[in-house]
Amino acid sequence: MTLNFPNPSRSYDAAAKRIRFTGHDGMFEVPFFVEVAALSAASSAATGAEAEYLSAFDAKRSSIQDVAREAYSHGRKNMYVLTRADFR
C-alpha cells in the first residue's frame, strides 16, 4: 500500500508548536506532525496566531505530504515529526 492523505483535517498543537495531520496506509492511520519552524511563512509570522500557522500549512500542503511520504518510506514508526531539516 502507499501512503495517502484522504482527510484534509489538520490541527495546531500550541504547546508543542506543531501542526498535526494524518496519513493512511491501507487501513492504518499514521500520525504526522510538522514543526511550525519548518514552514517559512509561519516562522516569520509576527503574531504567531494559530490561523497563520494553519494557513501556512495549507499553502505548502502538497510539499509537506511529499516530505511525509519520504519520511514514511524510511521505516515505520508510531508517529513522525517533520522538522526544517526534512524540507531541505
Side-chain angles (χ1 to χ4, degrees):
M1 299 257 54
T2 60
L3 185 65
N4 294 304
F5 299 93
N7 185 347
S9 296
R10 75 284 187 271
S11 60
Y12 176 59
D13 178 349
K17 294 191 178 195
R18 58 191 185 188
I19 309 247
R20 182 185 198 281
F21 64 105
T22 57
H24 288 63
D25 184 357
M27 65 181 196
F28 298 104
E29 185 174 274
V30 183
F32 286 91
F33 298 88
V34 60
E35 294 179 346
V36 295
L39 307 171
S40 60
S43 64
S44 64
T47 63
E50 177 178 347
E52 290 180 46
Y53 294 137
L54 294 175
S55 179
F57 177 91
D58 291 340
K60 295 181 178 271
R61 183 181 298 268
S62 180
S63 64
I64 291 168
Q65 290 173 346
D66 289 343
V67 170
R69 282 185 191 95
E70 178 67 22
Y72 186 72
S73 73
H74 293 292
R76 307 302 186 255
K77 299 179 184 178
N78 290 333
M79 68 175 226
Y80 296 83
V81 178
L82 305 176
T83 67
R84 186 176 288 182
D86 293 308
F87 291 87
R88 294 179 193 215

